[in-house]
Amino acid sequence: MSSALEELQKDVEEVKVLLEKATRKRVRDALTAEKSKIETEIKNKMQQKSQRKAELTENEKPAAVVAPITTGYTVKISNYGWDQSDKFVKIYITLPGVHQVPAESVQVNFTERSFDLLVKNLNGKSYSMIVNNLLKPISVEGSSKKVKTDTVLILCRKKAENTRWDYLTQVEKECKEKEKPSYDTETDPSEGLMNVLKKIYEDGDDDMKRTINKAWVESREKQAKGDTDF
């Protein structure tokens, strides 16, 4: 089970991700304030931890202290692949040599809308990956991991089987949909085309602008004559 400090560190990582995505000033200000608040909590908890450690007297220290394995720094995993079946969403993470570490060194925690992976002491480093806001709910009990040659496979059991996920996360869905041109089906279909032509005109060179102007004039002349072949 994660400690309070680990939970706070996960929170601040997620706020950082959201800050990268946020464009509205009000949202960015709120996230920045929350980030500062969490970072202060982390600092306070770390100070409390250090203070408790310093307060241990020689008599209270254990007779034999086993030195922890040094795992260097933690690498955040950002590259992965995914696909799906009727029952599972499958996430593939490539980590050379991961099949050679002890099974208990590869840990995955699931919630209904998230999972986090931690691989300890792989070639002197730890590797972590946190995916929040999954597109749809998953079954915690039915989800699992498999370690294969140089690969960790995470199996998220779909709560609603036989449903297709177009995206892995809600954030990815929102980002992709923002990129799509917004054509209003209630308005004149030619309006969408005009928006596209306007963008091409604004971004184009002089030759492109002359070509579009010429086509526009010819179109207007044909419309004036009642010729609708254009």
Side-chain angles (χ1 to χ4, degrees):
M1 193 169 177
S2 299
S3 69
L5 184 57
E6 286 172 334
E7 289 298 319
L8 286 169
Q9 286 169 337
K10 287 178 186 177
D11 288 347
V12 81
E13 284 300 322
E14 182 167 342
V15 170
K16 285 178 184 176
V17 171
L18 293 172
L19 259 173
E20 289 173 6
K21 305 283 185 189
T23 55
R24 303 288 300 170
K25 183 177 184 303
R26 186 173 176 181
V27 176
R28 286 186 63 83
D29 288 347
L31 287 170
T32 301
E34 187 63 21
K35 177 170 165 281
S36 299
K37 181 181 170 185
I38 298 169
E39 285 173 341
T40 301
E41 284 187 57
I42 290 172
K43 187 178 176 183
N44 290 340
K45 286 203 176 292
M46 289 181 77
Q47 285 176 346
Q48 288 170 9
K49 195 174 178 182
S50 298
Q51 192 174 350
R52 282 196 299 270
K53 193 174 178 181
E55 286 170 358
L56 279 173
T57 65
E58 286 299 319
N59 293 333
E60 291 172 324
K61 289 182 181 177
V65 178
V66 179
I69 298 170
T70 303
T71 56
Y73 57 91
T74 300
V75 180
K76 194 172 179 181
I77 299 167
S78 56
N79 293 325
Y80 60 88
W82 73 282
D83 65 11
Q84 60 189 304
S85 64
D86 289 341
K87 294 182 179 180
F88 290 95
V89 172
K90 307 170 186 178
I91 297 92
Y92 299 86
I93 299 112
T94 301
L95 285 172
V98 70
H99 56 289
Q100 296 172 339
V101 303
E104 60 269 19
S105 293
V106 181
Q107 301 170 0
V108 183
N109 294 315
F110 296 96
T111 74
E112 194 176 70
R113 294 297 286 268
S114 75
F115 68 83
D116 62 87
L117 164 71
L118 178 63
V119 179
K120 296 179 180 178
N121 198 27
L122 172 59
N123 300 322
K125 300 172 191 172
S126 291
Y127 293 82
S128 75
M129 177 181 177
I130 301 170
V131 177
N132 293 307
N133 300 311
L134 290 169
L135 186 70
K136 298 180 182 180
I138 61 173
S139 164
V140 175
E141 298 77 16
S143 299
S144 61
K145 71 168 191 304
K146 287 183 181 177
V147 178
K148 301 188 174 186
T149 304
D150 299 330
T151 303
V152 177
L153 169 60
I154 296 174
L155 297 160
C156 295
R157 180 70 180 251
K158 294 177 178 178
K159 210 155 198 179
E161 294 182 9
N162 301 309
T163 55
R164 176 174 173 77
W165 290 30
D166 293 322
Y167 306 94
L168 182 60
T169 66
Q170 191 67 31
V171 172
E172 185 184 348
K173 177 187 177 187
E174 289 169 7
C175 288
K176 293 288 183 186
E177 289 184 348
K178 278 182 184 175
E179 291 171 7
K180 291 180 183 177
S182 56
Y183 298 121
D184 188 348
T185 53
E186 298 296 321
T187 59
D188 185 348
S190 65
E191 195 173 312
L193 176 61
M194 289 309 303
N195 289 335
V196 174
L197 285 174
K198 183 180 177 185
K199 179 163 178 55
I200 295 171
Y201 183 90
E202 288 171 350
D203 295 344
D205 56 19
D206 290 341
D207 286 340
M208 179 62 72
K209 289 176 179 175
R210 278 195 291 272
T211 301
I212 292 175
N213 280 332
K214 185 170 180 288
W216 175 257
V217 170
E218 289 175 357
S219 170
R220 287 298 180 190
E221 286 175 353
K222 285 183 179 181
Q223 286 177 14
K225 293 174 185 174
D227 185 351
T228 57
D229 290 340
F230 179 72

